[in-house]
Amino acid sequence: MDRADADEEVQFPAGLRVLVVDDDVTCLRVLQAMLRKCRYEVTTCSQATAALALLRESRDSFHLVISDVHMPDMDGFKLLELVGLEMDLPVIMMSADARTNIVMKGIKHGACDYLIKPVRMEELKNIWQHVVRKKWTDNNRDVEHSGSFEEGDRTIHNNNTNINNNNSNKRVAEDAEYASSANDGGAPDGSGGWKSSQKKKRCTVKEEEEGETESADPNSSKKPRVVWSVELHQQFVNAVNQLGIEKAVPKRILELMNVPGLTRENVASHLQKFRLYLKRLSGVTQHHPGLPNPFCGPVSTNIKGGPLGRLDFETLVASGHIPPQALAAFEEELFTQNGSKQPVREIAFGQPLLTCGPPTTLTRQFPQSNSSNITINPSLDMPSSFSNWPSNNDLAQIIHHQQQQQQQVVGSGVSVPQPSASLNVQPSCLVIPSSQQMNTYQSSENTILASQSQSQGSGFQTGRGSLVQSPMMLPSQSLSSLQRVGPSSQSYQVKQGPSVITSQPSISGNSGYTNAGSVVDYNNSLISTQPKNLRFGVGQIVDEELNSMTAVSNNNSFSMPGMMSGMVNSGFGFNGARMSDNNRQGRRNNLGFVGKGTCLPSRFAVDEIESPTNLPNFSQIGAGDLVNPENFGLDGQI
Amino acid sequence: MDYVNIRRQAASIRKGLFDQGYLDEQFYQLEDLQDDASPNFVDEVVTLFFRDSLRLMANIDQALDKCAKDFNKLDVYMQQLKGSCTSIGASKMKTECTAFRDYCRDENIEGCMRSFQKLKREHSVLRQKLESYFQQLRQAGPIECATRPSK
């Protein structure tokens, strides 16, 4: 309608959600006032680690990040890179330091702009352009990519050559979902302008994506998206291990994998993400030595050490998706280079796995909290046996318990953003009614899904994909609030996740995990090449059998909003992919585990459910949407 | 109370601050941000600044005492302080911060110390003036906030 359009125009770009990170409280205050005057929604954060946790927790909460260059707890450039890789959000750097070399450094690390302090109102008024530009560029890229191999190759090539270039990393060729999610962003909240413009883009892209995903024929004109399931990824990893990470080239990997329908481009793209992931691991490790995870009590920090270390793998192994030997081998390979530092370090997805219920095992799952992450492992002491879904009351108690734990844990030295950090974070916990299995990787395949199905009563949403809607999800309200936690704990392990999802008893829940598992590993390193939620670019093939929620669904299985995203995203995110009908729910999260980001806080999922505004509602997403997890809010949210 | 006079005094202090280079353009931006929704915005930010800068300067003091040779650390602290100064438009302080950092770069510890003393004085003077300015404003009443004179 004209009227509506007019309203949109008037509003746009009001409502832009900006996260400002600066250790200088004076500057923060001034910027906050300025941004508010621009009618943007501002969140300030005086600690980079807190900001990262917040972003991980709910990637879709923000459209744009403004960060200072020099901060005591984390280098601004590092934050820039991480945000770019994991969340694929535009980042503007700012500093009183106007030296050309520093500005250049910012550009190289992928900043979409560099402001010199003192920042003036006029400069801030225009920051919205970066958000829009990025989305459009991503969309176009995806569109192009899907159309031709050449484009994809070029993109991949670019990515390979500009490892540190957030922008190109983000543009993984196959990351169509990302594009679509990027488009999303218009949740029906008040900012009509953003939403509608976002939606339009999303629709367009989605159509294309859907078309692609539907087609499983790699030789069709539209490139189908490859879903990097756990199995597939495992094959990939095996191939890489066999060749040696240094010598692993896409062609050879492809040959070794011997997967029909898989193209060299798919592998190349995946490899790139994987490399980034490894790089992150090593880079981050050095920068922020992983803190022992207080949360993960019994969990050894070393991935190899325990199943816990790597949640994802554990889960995956548990669920049978990854043979234990392979997992071990993989981890060995993966982390050897990094001196077996817990990759999690970076990832600390915000969402602490708030496992409802039995979760003792949960603790294991929590990745080590990195120094850079404020992870709170809420569920250290979850009851061990979860036979049935806890009632809401129980959940609430659990959450509360977890929160308490978190609080305690937090106090144990992990740098947790304090309220004074001008960030109001609540322990983010994924409240997932997930069955305990979810948490423990040992759990049987059923893990989450299964349990979920059992707990149907709990309000899980068994409907197809509508994770979000599952009442179980903890009263989504509470869930979301839980997730709000800033220092999201490592919960990225959300694996617990599936809770929400699909009622399908199919274990796919596991898959969720499995994916998560795999994801986790990768995720830790923030490899998330795809900033978006997992958009693994690889495309997600809707997998019919996904119902069983095999790993692919990582996302799906987690109804936990946070989980999915967190989980999947965190790592490589390749798990997202398979979106089967069952997994619809998951889709959001994890397609592709492309490292994106780690942690999509379950909160996110919840939020989505809860507030249609900020994310494309799951409910709004049709079956077709499932295919693209990105559609779920996470991405598009902007 | 003679509001007119009080306001005049406030305006005069303010003008002096600009003329003498204590404050620069950035301060105008702060004033622009003040509105009905945040009627004491400038005062709040300035207060925040002085509190935070005291903390930073204490850090620098300590660093100069304990590890006087750690120029990197001193530079980092001073960079933080400089950032704060630019945010409110504390021009003279900003200049002195830059001078300090130059001394750091040259690894001239005496220069650093001298510069730091000067910085502390500037800080003190600015605080005094701004405090009296805001005090006048408060007395003068809400009508006339720090409105920017026609430039």
Side-chain angles (χ1 to χ4, degrees), chain B residues 99-113:
Chain B
F100 182 96
R101 293 184 73 200
D102 288 342
Y103 286 123
C104 280
R105 199 183 50 228
D106 300 338
E107 301 202 350
N108 178 349
I109 193 64
E110 283 80 23
C112 285
M113 291 195 167

Side-chain angles (χ1 to χ4, degrees), chain A residues 210-332:
Chain A
E210 286 177 14
E212 291 180 6
T213 47
E214 302 302 335
S215 156
D217 176 7
N219 296 323
S220 64
S221 54
K222 279 190 184 178
K223 223 166 7 161
R225 238 170 264 160
V226 173
V227 168
W228 282 90
S229 65
V230 173
E231 294 88 350
L232 197 61
H233 179 70
Q234 190 54 44
Q235 284 178 277
F236 169 83
V237 169
N238 291 341
V240 169
N241 285 346
Q242 207 172 320
L243 294 166
I245 189 67
E246 300 297 329
K247 294 203 172 63
V249 287
K251 188 154 178 281
R252 302 254 15 240
I253 296 171
L254 186 66
E255 288 167 9
L256 279 175
M257 284 176 73
N258 195 22
V259 171
L262 195 64
T263 68
R264 196 202 67 82
E265 288 74 14
N266 298 142
V267 174
S269 163
H270 192 69
L271 178 64
Q272 185 197 349
K273 294 192 177 92
F274 187 58
R275 284 221 182 94
L276 283 173
Y277 169 73
L278 294 180
K279 189 173 188 295
R280 285 276 144 261
L281 281 178
S282 56
V284 175
T285 304
Q286 289 149 20
H287 192 72
H288 299 280
L291 292 177
N293 189 340
F295 302 108
C296 302
V299 181
S300 72
T301 57
N302 190 336
I303 303 168
K304 298 196 242 187
L308 304 178
R310 293 306 173 210
L311 291 176
D312 312 311
F313 278 105
E314 305 304 346
T315 310
L316 289 171
V317 174
S319 63
H321 291 278
I322 294 182
Q325 302 80 355
L327 180 58
F330 176 66
E331 290 191 22
E332 186 92 30

Side-chain angles (χ1 to χ4, degrees), chain B residues 10-145:
Chain B
S12 158
I13 296 176
R14 181 177 174 281
K15 187 167 187 301
L17 284 168
F18 280 108
D19 290 346
Q20 291 161 36
Y22 286 100
L23 294 177
D24 63 21
E25 282 277 328
Q26 180 66 10
F27 199 79
Y28 290 137
Q29 296 258 332
L30 296 190
E31 290 176 332
D32 277 348
L33 291 170
Q34 187 156 296
D35 55 17
D36 293 340
S38 38
N40 300 312
F41 177 72
V42 189
D43 194 352
E44 286 166 15
V45 174
V46 167
T47 304
L48 198 58
F49 166 73
F50 282 115
R51 195 166 53 215
D52 197 48
S53 56
L54 276 177
R55 179 184 62 84
L56 285 172
M57 295 199 309
N59 287 345
I60 297 173
D61 248 330
Q62 197 177 33
L64 281 170
D65 277 344
K66 301 233 173 96
C67 32
K69 290 304 175 188
D70 192 347
F71 291 104
N72 275 343
K73 190 191 251 188
L74 290 172
D75 187 65
V76 166
Y77 284 139
M78 192 48 73
Q79 183 161 37
Q80 290 176 5
L81 184 57
K82 185 181 169 188
S84 280
C85 295
T86 56
S87 294
I88 69 154
S91 181
K92 284 199 175 181
M93 279 188 69
K94 185 169 70 171
T95 307
E96 206 50 53
C97 289
T98 307
F100 182 96
R101 293 184 73 200
D102 288 342
Y103 286 123
C104 280
R105 199 183 50 228
D106 300 338
E107 301 202 350
N108 178 349
I109 193 64
E110 283 80 23
C112 285
M113 291 195 167
R114 276 199 312 272
S115 177
F116 188 57
Q117 293 308 315
K118 190 151 177 250
L119 184 61
K120 284 201 269 194
R121 284 196 299 275
E122 294 288 350
H123 180 269
S124 175
V125 166
L126 183 64
R127 182 158 71 158
Q128 201 180 352
K129 288 181 186 277
L130 281 174
E131 268 175 8
S132 100
Y133 170 64
F134 284 115
Q135 196 174 22
Q136 297 288 329
L137 281 185
R138 279 192 290 271
Q139 284 177 11
I143 301 171
E144 208 153 352
C145 300

